[in-house]
């Protein structure tokens, strides 16, 4: 690995501009994360993409918004625009637990220190810059902005909020994966097209006088924000439209009024990226290291992914509580084998590399190169998931490309082994496809992962044990998890291994009752699990579960769904994860007797 110089990073200070002999920059990017020059960090990706398009780009990581705003002034005005990202995580999820308590750390900050970004960072940064430089355009993006592009429920303020474009006063919003829209934006600006005239870029949104828009067959008009404030049913109906358009190969333009004539226009997404597009991002000149200003300080999120390799984007699982498909899309975009192997070879030259890759995965570990057998069928589909409530017959679930990739990585000099740290969809591995060769690949992949690429503990996410809760979550029956556990145990015995299966579970999800949680405790006790990977459901923008939580209505059936909403109800459910703690025993016994389930008391406590 070559010696890294300060000039190998994007400049972050006036001094670093002077080293490069730059009098000004074209784009100044403000990020809520520390600057790690790695393709897993959003700020670095945006900066490198714009740099590759020939623009001079500077990055200001974690600016101080509490003082005299010197961080926002130190580089002056950009020639083209300011770009803003709250970071790789939503700032509110980053700051608060499901019970709205402040977290004590931040994985994307040096030393894991909390409090280095504001609540609602996108809005705070944008408003500061708009006040300081009212004539400079502002572009917002990243997961925080992307998932707030339409009217959305805010769990932390417990209210419905309009598109983030209104509160941030930004000029343009880039949603989803930003490569293609950012390249087109740079191209149009380099041609001299005024920023105010740029309205036609796919995967962008902007505010406008919607009375001036022409209605056409390619557009769909949602209920306005004001209508949604008055009617939860209209908000629920809006959600279904937005989710379906987000999951189509060829979505339509969405228009939503906010107040008066003001409205947001959301241009349809780009067609699915190709492998070449994704490879191009990973071939940008990332140093793969934190900026030298952090020398001697650990950044926990970087330490987690330092020796991991991302192999694809997108997820067709469609889990109700997850926003990946709303942000990355449900159609899988896979890197080429060559691109992945090149990155692995590069990692083997890292001075700290000990021969082990911590992960070779993506949003799901085993969706690499999976897509519809007939894309013409996919082009007509608007379903939220390719595998729920059953696996689509048009979906190719062949695991052979993954097996082939794993075998090639294993032969690279310097790689002793690699592990699968991303979540695995065991339904893709266990449910027969009807094709003998495909089913053989699934069986071979399962044994390969468990026997060779599990580092003692394999994490999977059944999420619950109740089928009615799981159906609301858009997850497979718990019986499938039990079948996977039997297979996992069998492979361990066969190879003389003693590994653990670590399941993830969620409490307080819509349609989940205390009785469901008590049954979960009994079932997992019988399976000899002492649960550790657990969480309360946290409503985040643009997920089905959040819409049910807020409206009390299922957007697809328009039927009412009971949901635990109070902090007390959440705590009552959570205690069943820890039924074995002395302080919970009597409370659980009393509650189960109240609901007429003494049989569960006997199962738990004998």
């Amino acid at each position: 690995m070559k010696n890294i110089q300060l000039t190998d990073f994007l400049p972050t200070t006036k001094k670093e501009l002077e080293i490069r002999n730059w009098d000004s920059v074209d784009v100044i990017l403000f990020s809520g994360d520390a600057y790690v020059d790695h393709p897993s960090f959003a700020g670095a990706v945006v900066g490198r993409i714009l740099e590759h398009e020939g623009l001079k780009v500077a990055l200001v990581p974690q600016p101080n918004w509490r003082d005299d705003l010197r961080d926002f002034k130190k580089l002056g005005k950009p020639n083209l625009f300011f770009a803003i990202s709250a970071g790789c995580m939503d700032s509110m999820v980053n700051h608060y637990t499901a019970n709205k308590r402040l977290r004590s750390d931040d994985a994307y900050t040096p030393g894991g220190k909390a409090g280095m970004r504001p609540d609602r960072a996108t809005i705070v940064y944008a408003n500061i810059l708009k006040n300081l430089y009212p004539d400079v355009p502002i572009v917002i993006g990243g997961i925080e902005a992307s998932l707030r592009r339409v009217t959305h429920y805010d769990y932390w303020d417990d209210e419905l909020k309009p598109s983030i474009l209104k509160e941030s006063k930004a000029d343009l919003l880039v949603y989803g994966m930003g490569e293609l829209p950012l390249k087109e934006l740079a191209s149009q600006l380099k041609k001299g097209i005024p920023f105010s005239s740029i309205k036609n870029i796919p995967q962008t949104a902007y505010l406008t006088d919607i009375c001036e828009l022409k209605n056409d067959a390619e557009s769909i008009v949602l209920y306005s924000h004001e209508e949604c404030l008055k009617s939860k049913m209209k908000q629920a109906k809006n959600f279904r439209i937005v989710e379906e358009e987000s999951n189509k190969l060829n979505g339509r333009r969405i228009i939503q009024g906010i107040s008066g004539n003001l409205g947001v226009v959301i241009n349809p997404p780009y067609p699915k990226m190709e492998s070449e597009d994704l490879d191009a991002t990973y071939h940008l000149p990332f140093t793969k290291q934190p900026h030298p200003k952090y020398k001697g300080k650990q950044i926990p999120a970087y330490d987690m992914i330092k020796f991991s390799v991302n192999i694809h984007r997108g997820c067709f699982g469609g889990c109700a509580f997850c926003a990946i498909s709303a942000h990355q899309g449900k159609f899988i975009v896979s890197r080429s084998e060559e691109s992945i192997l090149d990155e692995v070879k590069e990692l083997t030259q890292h001075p700290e590399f000990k021969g082990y890759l911590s992960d070779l995965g993506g949003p799901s570990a085993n969706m690499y190169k999976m897509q519809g057998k007939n894309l013409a069928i996919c082009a007509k589909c608007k379903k939220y998931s390719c595998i729920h409530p059953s696996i689509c017959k048009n979906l190719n679930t062949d695991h052979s490309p993954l097996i082939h990739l794993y075998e090639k990585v294993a032969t690279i000099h310097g790689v002793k082994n690699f592990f699968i740290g991303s979540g695995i969809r065991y339904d893709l591995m266990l449910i027969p496809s009807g094709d003998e060769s495909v089913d053989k690949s699934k069986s071979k992949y399962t044994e390969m992962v468990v026997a060779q690429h599990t580092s003692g503990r394999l994490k999977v996410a059944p999420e619950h044990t109740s089928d009615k809760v799981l159906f609301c979550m858009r997850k497979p029956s718990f019986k499938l998890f039990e079948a996977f556990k039997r297979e996992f145990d069998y492979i361990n015995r066969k190879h003389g291994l003693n590994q653990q299966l670590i399941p993830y579970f969620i409490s307080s999800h819509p349609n989940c009752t205390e009785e469901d949680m008590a049954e979960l405790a009994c079932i997992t006790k019988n399976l000899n699990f002492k649960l550790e990977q657990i969480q309360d459901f946290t409503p985040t923008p643009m997920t089905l579960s959040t819409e049910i939580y807020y409206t009390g209505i299922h957007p697809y059936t328009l039927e009412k769904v009971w949901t635990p909403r109070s902090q007390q109800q959440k705590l009552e459910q959570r205690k069943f994860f820890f039924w074995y703690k002395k302080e919970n025993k009597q409370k659980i016994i009393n509650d189960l007797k109240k609901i007429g389930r003494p049989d569960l008391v006997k199962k738990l406590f004998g």
Side-chain angles (χ1 to χ4, degrees):
M1 181 171 278
K2 70 169 187 174
N3 290 326
I4 304 297
Q5 307 296 321
L6 184 60
T7 50
D8 291 322
F9 293 83
L10 297 170
T12 66
T13 64
K14 194 77 171 175
K15 182 180 178 181
E16 290 171 53
L17 295 185
E18 291 169 357
I19 293 172
R20 293 174 177 240
N21 294 317
W22 288 3
D23 295 323
S24 64
V25 293
D26 298 314
V27 179
I28 303 175
L29 169 62
F30 288 83
S31 173
D33 292 339
Y35 175 25
V36 179
D37 194 41
H38 190 284
S40 293
F41 286 75
V45 173
V46 171
R48 292 299 186 185
I49 289 168
L50 294 172
E51 177 189 55
H52 185 71
E53 294 304 304
L55 303 183
K56 293 180 178 179
V57 185
L59 194 159
V60 181
Q62 300 190 315
N64 190 337
W65 74 101
R66 297 186 180 101
D67 61 6
D68 59 3
L69 307 180
R70 66 189 68 182
D71 284 344
F72 294 89
K73 302 172 186 175
K74 64 184 180 182
L75 300 181
K77 292 168 61 172
N79 302 323
L80 297 177
F81 61 88
F82 288 113
I84 293 172
S85 168
C88 293
M89 283 183 70
D90 183 289
S91 62
M92 301 304 286
V93 177
N94 181 284
H95 282 174
Y96 298 97
T97 68
N99 284 319
K100 301 183 181 181
R101 293 177 180 168
L102 270 174
R103 299 186 191 275
S104 58
D105 56 7
D106 180 344
Y108 293 87
T109 299
K113 184 179 178 182
M116 295 301 288
R117 76 185 85 209
D119 286 356
R120 312 183 199 285
T122 303
I123 293 172
V124 172
Y125 294 165
N127 277 285
I128 288 171
L129 291 169
K130 192 57 82 172
N131 288 333
L132 291 174
Y133 308 103
D135 57 328
V136 179
I138 293 176
V139 180
I140 58 175
I143 197 162
E144 181 166 282
S146 180
L147 302 183
R148 289 171 167 77
R149 55 189 185 261
V150 292
T151 293
H152 57 280
Y153 172 68
D154 185 284
Y155 171 64
W156 299 275
D157 280 351
D158 191 22
E159 67 180 36
L160 213 56
K161 291 184 179 288
S163 167
I164 194 172
L165 279 162
K166 186 173 188 293
E167 290 186 275
S168 67
K169 305 181 181 71
D171 299 274
L172 194 70
L173 183 155
V174 173
Y175 68 90
M177 299 292 93
E179 283 95 336
L180 300 181
L182 285 172
K183 288 176 183 178
E184 180 58 27
L185 176 60
S187 174
Q188 292 196 28
L189 290 172
K190 285 191 293 183
K191 291 175 183 175
I193 299 173
F195 195 104
S196 58
S197 301
I198 299 175
K199 307 289 186 185
N200 62 342
I201 299 177
Q203 228 165 289
T204 62
Y206 59 91
L207 293 179
T208 190
D209 184 337
I210 56 174
C211 293
E212 297 178 0
L213 296 175
K214 294 179 181 178
N215 289 330
D216 55 61
E218 301 304 313
S219 298
I220 185 164
V221 180
L222 302 178
Y223 290 111
S224 71
H225 176 68
E226 291 172 315
E227 289 178 288
C228 291
L229 287 174
K230 297 173 184 175
S231 169
K232 290 184 176 181
M233 180 64 76
K234 289 181 177 178
Q235 172 64 14
K237 289 180 177 180
N238 271 3
F239 173 81
R240 177 173 180 173
I241 293 169
V242 174
E243 183 174 59
E244 287 180 341
E245 294 304 316
S246 298
N247 285 314
K248 288 162 67 174
L249 267 178
N250 301 295
R252 293 176 289 177
R253 182 174 72 158
I254 292 174
I255 300 168
Q256 185 185 31
I258 295 177
S259 59
N261 295 337
L262 183 67
V264 60
V265 176
I266 303 170
N267 290 324
Y270 271 95
K272 182 175 80 75
M273 290 173 67
E274 299 298 332
S275 289
E276 297 78 27
D277 299 316
L278 192 52
D279 286 354
T281 293
Y282 283 86
H283 289 163
L284 293 171
F286 297 100
T287 63
K288 306 283 182 69
Q289 294 187 23
H291 190 278
K293 69 166 70 181
Y294 308 124
K295 188 174 182 180
K297 296 181 180 178
Q298 285 189 307
I299 299 173
Y302 169 66
D303 292 338
M304 275 184 62
I305 56 86
K306 187 189 301 185
F307 298 120
S308 70
V309 178
N310 186 283
I311 63 176
H312 80 267
R313 287 186 190 163
C315 179
F316 49 69
C319 298
F321 47 80
C322 179
I324 288 175
S325 64
H327 188 60
Q328 292 193 12
K330 78 172 182 181
F331 295 98
I332 304 301
V333 184
S334 300
R335 293 172 66 183
S336 68
E337 269 193 3
E338 181 184 11
S339 174
I340 295 166
L341 297 175
D342 284 347
E343 184 174 353
V344 174
K345 290 172 186 173
E346 184 183 342
L347 282 175
T348 64
Q349 303 304 307
H350 193 289
E352 297 175 34
F353 186 67
K354 306 297 183 185
Y356 299 95
L357 297 172
S358 59
D359 190 20
L360 201 64
S364 282
N366 57 322
M367 290 185 181
Y368 182 67
K369 290 198 173 179
M370 291 185 185
Q371 63 177 18
K373 301 168 191 173
N374 183 347
L375 291 180
I377 295 175
C378 296
K380 298 175 184 176
C381 178
K382 59 180 181 180
K383 277 194 66 179
Y384 53 81
S385 171
C386 302
I387 56 178
H388 186 271
S390 59
I391 296 178
C392 177
K393 292 180 180 178
N394 188 48
L395 179 66
N396 178 10
T397 58
D398 187 2
H399 283 62
S400 297
L402 261 177
I403 294 169
H404 192 252
L405 176 66
Y406 288 5
E407 288 173 343
K408 284 199 168 184
V409 171
T411 65
I412 293 176
H413 179 71
V415 175
K416 296 176 182 176
N417 202 353
F418 58 90
F419 305 108
I420 306 306
S422 303
I424 288 182
R425 290 296 306 221
Y426 48 81
D427 44 353
L428 284 175
M429 296 151 68
L430 295 183
I431 297 175
S433 68
D435 183 313
E436 186 178 350
S437 64
V438 170
D439 291 342
K440 280 184 178 178
S441 78
K442 294 180 178 193
S443 180
K444 182 177 180 180
Y445 177 78
T446 304
E447 183 157 5
M448 179 183 250
V449 168
V450 176
Q452 300 175 39
H453 304 301
T454 296
S455 59
R457 294 155 63 95
L458 183 66
K459 296 177 181 178
V460 291
E463 308 295 6
H464 214 284
T465 56
S466 162
D467 280 352
K468 76 175 179 69
V469 178
L470 287 166
F471 192 83
C472 189
M473 290 177 165
R474 295 174 174 168
K475 295 285 288 187
S477 170
F478 190 72
K479 290 176 183 176
L480 208 61
F481 170 77
E482 292 177 306
F484 180 71
K485 185 180 185 303
R486 288 193 294 271
E487 184 71 8
F488 179 86
D489 292 342
Y490 166 74
I491 294 170
N492 271 276
R493 288 194 302 271
K494 178 180 175 182
H495 292 271
L497 300 170
N498 184 28
Q499 301 181 130
Q500 285 182 290
L501 197 59
I502 308 297
Y504 282 76
F505 289 99
I506 294 177
S507 60
S508 308
H509 189 274
N511 214 26
C512 179
T513 64
E514 278 193 63
E515 189 172 357
D516 294 320
M517 291 301 299
E519 289 179 342
L520 182 153
C522 293
I523 291 169
T524 54
K525 178 195 175 187
N526 287 341
L527 291 172
N528 296 315
F529 286 122
K530 185 168 276 192
L531 304 183
E532 52 182 86
Q533 298 292 337
I534 52 96
Q535 65 177 29
D536 292 335
F537 166 64
T538 303
T540 56
M542 223 164 174
T543 70
L544 173 70
S545 302
T546 298
E547 294 303 319
I548 297 174
Y549 176 91
Y550 168 68
T551 64
I553 300 166
H554 196 296
Y556 284 78
T557 65
L558 301 184
E559 295 175 350
K560 291 184 177 180
V561 179
W562 185 83
T563 303
R565 296 193 89 253
S566 72
Q567 299 302 317
Q568 185 59 35
Q569 287 172 327
K570 285 176 170 287
L571 290 171
E572 292 296 330
Q573 291 208 9
R574 185 182 175 85
K575 71 177 182 290
F576 286 99
F577 285 139
F578 307 105
W579 61 269
Y580 50 84
K581 291 189 175 182
K582 290 181 180 179
E583 61 266 29
N584 290 332
K585 181 176 179 179
Q586 195 56 51
K587 175 67 175 164
I588 287 174
I589 291 172
N590 293 342
D591 287 353
L592 291 178
K593 285 181 178 178
K594 278 182 188 177
I595 62 174
R597 294 300 304 270
D599 57 311
L600 295 181
V601 174
K602 192 172 183 180
K603 286 180 181 179
L604 277 181
F605 303 110

